[in-house]
Amino acid sequence: MAHDPSGVQETRITIQGIELALACPDELPMRWIGATDVMEQLLAAWLVIDKKDVPLNPRLIGKPGVGKTTLAYAGAKMLHRDVYIFQCTMDTRPEDLLITPVVDKTGGIRYVASSLVTAMVKGQVCILDEGNRMGEKSWASLAPLLDSRRYIESIVAGLKISAHPNFRIAVTTNEDASTFEIPEYIYSRLQPQIFIDFPEPQEERKILAENLPFVDDAILDYVVGFLQRAHLRDEKYTVRDGINIARYAAKRIHGLPKGARGKDANRASLLRQAIVMTLGDDALAYTASTDDA
């Protein structure tokens, strides 16, 4: 362990004579509240049932904000594994995914393992978040990791690193326009596909309450009604949007004089404002059945 003056200790390991600094796991207050079948599908994909078997690399798909990352994180925690989240972008380079050389304070070169490689060598779980924002060159560097070979090759460090048998990976992908097509040879390695849909009303209510325990029931019920009407029309609004709406509306209502906070007209007006300020004027079309809350 190396001492870090910030108070965080950096773990280092040596592989084939090269010292690597490892990343720290992500500790987040995430708990899966929703359909149990998608959790069962994820855990089955990670299961190994024979010495010759290998885990699969599930791809979690769905609209932004439906809980793909939360599902993968909660699944890993059910297996008592540390979780390392790598946020993919269109600027992600192969060395970002694997090992990055940096200049240390002595002027020498040190090698820093990504969260992905750290999870590989420690036998933990990596979530490649929003994987379809990466370009083909970055995906190519992961091809041997995602098949039965289960290794990566870092050109910059001159290392070939095999994944620990306990290593697991999940890739989340969004359904929106600001993404790349995943190359076919990678697509075939990211299986099975697990689709995460909008939650049922009771599930959505539980998710809001879990994230906003300080927000009163009337606000949560209003937001759930709004979201469910939008879901029926296949709008892109998600529970993440609902959390933001409810949180902002609660702040606005809290700012009212005490005598005005409980008035239905004031609450409905501020909730509508919160919806517009979060999602735009078009979202008001889905408030019709909830304005009496």
Side-chain angles (χ1 to χ4, degrees):
M1 304 283 283
H3 178 68
D4 183 335
S6 69
V8 178
Q9 289 186 320
E10 181 184 81
T11 302
R12 299 180 184 177
I13 62 168
T14 300
I15 299 176
Q16 300 164 30
I18 301 293
E19 186 178 71
L20 293 180
L22 301 182
C24 295
D26 292 280
E27 293 294 338
L28 302 169
M30 288 183 173
R31 188 166 71 93
W32 178 249
I33 301 171
T36 58
D37 59 330
V38 290
M39 180 62 77
E40 292 168 357
Q41 292 166 19
L42 172 65
L43 296 178
W46 283 343
L47 184 64
V48 172
I49 59 175
D50 187 84
K51 290 188 295 184
K52 295 184 178 180
D53 191 22
V54 293
L56 295 169
N57 312 307
R59 181 164 74 98
L60 311 183
I61 59 178
K63 291 181 172 63
V66 294
K68 301 181 293 296
T69 305
T70 299
L71 174 68
Y73 186 94
K77 288 301 182 181
M78 288 181 68
L79 299 178
H80 307 290
R81 305 284 178 81
D82 287 337
V83 183
Y84 296 80
I85 301 175
F86 187 97
Q87 184 64 49
C88 303
T89 71
M90 65 179 62
D91 298 320
T92 298
R93 304 166 300 171
E95 56 266 38
D96 299 325
L97 276 172
L98 305 178
I99 297 170
T100 304
V102 298
V103 178
D104 65 21
K105 57 187 175 183
T106 68
I109 297 295
R110 61 194 291 263
Y111 293 100
V112 179
S114 69
S115 51
L116 168 66
V117 171
T118 300
M120 281 179 56
V121 300
K122 296 184 75 173
Q124 305 300 331
V125 175
C126 178
I127 302 171
L128 279 185
D129 206 19
E130 300 185 336
N132 55 339
R133 299 198 190 282
M134 290 197 305
E136 194 274 339
K137 192 172 183 180
S138 294
W139 276 117
S141 68
L142 298 184
L145 176 64
L146 300 174
D147 60 27
S148 59
R149 292 172 288 178
R150 284 175 57 88
Y151 69 74
I152 60 96
E153 197 160 10
S154 169
I155 303 301
V156 296
L159 289 177
K160 180 183 286 187
I161 303 175
S162 294
H164 188 288
N166 290 335
F167 170 67
R168 301 291 186 269
I169 189 171
V171 177
T172 74
T173 58
N174 282 333
E175 299 176 336
D176 62 46
S178 60
T179 57
F180 295 105
E181 286 291 329
I182 295 176
E184 184 60 37
Y185 67 94
I186 294 295
Y187 186 86
S188 65
R189 289 166 162 85
L190 299 179
Q191 303 294 350
Q193 299 175 66
I194 300 174
F195 180 73
I196 301 165
D197 204 351
F198 294 124
E200 295 297 319
Q202 300 87 343
E203 295 169 348
E204 199 152 53
R205 180 65 165 72
K206 288 179 181 178
I207 294 168
L208 288 171
E210 173 81 9
N211 285 273
L212 303 168
F214 49 86
V215 173
D216 68 46
D217 290 345
I219 295 174
L220 300 183
D221 291 340
Y222 186 108
V223 173
V224 169
F226 163 77
L227 289 173
Q228 288 296 314
R229 285 177 60 83
H231 298 338
L232 290 174
R233 297 289 297 273
D234 199 32
E235 284 285 359
K236 61 183 179 180
Y237 312 143
T238 67
V239 69
R240 181 190 298 162
D241 298 318
I243 290 169
N244 289 333
I245 291 166
R247 190 189 301 274
Y248 185 59
K251 294 176 190 291
R252 292 293 309 278
I253 292 167
H254 184 77
L256 294 173
K258 284 189 177 180
R261 293 178 191 173
K263 293 184 177 179
D264 291 345
N266 291 338
R267 297 165 70 88
S269 175
L270 290 177
L271 276 158
R272 287 170 63 86
Q273 285 184 31
I275 288 170
V276 170
M277 294 173 71
T278 303
L279 299 172
D281 290 335
D282 290 347
L284 288 176
Y286 304 103
T287 63
S289 67
T290 53
D291 280 345
D292 297 329

